Amino acid sequence: MYTLYSMQSSGNCYKCRLTLSQCELPYTLEDVDIREGATRTPDFLAINPNGKVPVLALPDGRTLAESNAILVYLAHGSPLLPEERFERAKVMEWLFFEQYSHEPYIAVARYWLSLHPGGREMQAARISDWLEHGHRALGVMERHLDTNGFFVGGRYTIADTALYAYTHVAEDGDFELERYPAIRAWFERVKAQPRHVTMDTRPA
């Protein structure tokens, strides 16, 4: 059985729980609270020297970090990761976009403005930059979804999983989603997928 080292409120961890559910893979959950320094202990650094969640422990004891790498591993051989070479590369393209152009602004704004006590005051000088770059990423998504039901190949893949995780809670970071009707319509298509679970869901 898999073990996922996870923080419940983290979108990067949520995307892994969602993929585990959609691939019908049983797993246990180990809660790790970064705000309490739990990722900096010797025991945790032994499984991920980078000191971050999520980390997936495989049944054979090997471990894998970085959320989108975990998604690729879990989705291998399933409809969530295309076999065709170009479509698989397009999935990777969106995964890289999510980590480079999307997550550093939308996820970071959400963390400081909604999850970290006093974060809005502590990071006041950075908010406008987060909003500018985050809206740029949302604009890229909106233009794509205006003419496409999903991000790759006309069907749901882990590209959608990765982008949904932080986008659907972007308002926690002061991003107004009313201006993005195509994204909001896509939310409903994502939620309609088989074995979809919400961010607060935990394994039985």
Side-chain angles (χ1 to χ4, degrees):
M1 181 178 289
Y2 294 100
T3 299
L4 183 68
Y5 295 84
S6 172
M7 183 172 171
Q8 195 72 25
S9 61
S10 162
N12 282 329
C13 297
Y14 168 53
K15 67 176 79 161
C16 299
R17 297 195 303 273
L18 179 53
T19 303
L20 284 159
S21 173
Q22 292 179 321
C23 291
E24 297 185 278
L25 297 170
Y27 70 102
T28 59
L29 201 61
E30 289 286 340
D31 290 303
V32 181
D33 193 338
I34 63 172
R35 292 167 297 193
E36 300 296 326
T39 58
R40 296 296 172 183
T41 66
D43 285 347
F44 189 86
L45 291 172
I47 64 171
N48 183 12
N50 199 27
K52 295 182 178 180
V53 288
V55 176
L56 182 72
L58 279 56
D60 63 9
R62 291 178 296 169
T63 58
L64 185 63
E66 299 298 332
S67 60
N68 288 349
I70 293 171
L71 297 196
V72 171
Y73 179 85
L74 293 174
H76 178 73
S78 81
L80 299 179
L81 183 61
E83 291 286 341
E84 196 276 325
R85 185 177 182 181
F86 182 76
E87 286 195 349
R88 181 176 286 234
K90 293 300 286 186
V91 167
M92 298 296 184
E93 179 179 279
W94 284 111
L95 295 184
F96 297 146
F97 166 84
E98 189 266 342
Q99 286 290 283
Y100 183 77
S101 299
H102 179 284
E103 193 266 358
Y105 308 106
I106 293 173
V108 171
R110 173 178 177 262
Y111 175 77
W112 285 105
L113 302 185
S114 290
L115 300 178
H116 194 288
R120 185 177 294 273
E121 292 72 29
M122 295 169 61
Q123 300 292 338
R126 301 180 64 191
I127 294 173
S128 62
D129 185 64
W130 293 335
L131 292 176
E132 177 186 352
H133 288 86
H135 277 298
R136 185 179 302 162
L138 292 170
V140 171
M141 295 172 61
E142 178 74 8
R143 288 188 293 275
H144 180 82
L145 291 169
D146 193 47
T147 55
N148 296 274
F150 296 100
F151 280 95
V152 178
R155 66 186 188 279
Y156 180 84
T157 68
I158 56 170
D160 299 282
T161 310
L163 285 162
Y164 177 80
Y166 277 116
T167 305
H168 87 290
V169 290
E171 290 179 335
D172 292 346
D174 286 3
F175 292 95
E176 297 177 1
L177 296 180
E178 286 300 314
R179 67 169 89 172
Y180 301 110
I183 288 177
R184 289 186 286 109
W186 167 73
F187 287 164
E188 298 308 310
R189 293 191 290 276
V190 171
K191 289 188 288 186
Q193 297 303 305
R195 297 175 295 280
H196 177 85
V197 294
T198 61
M199 184 177 272
D200 60 357
T201 301
R202 298 175 64 85

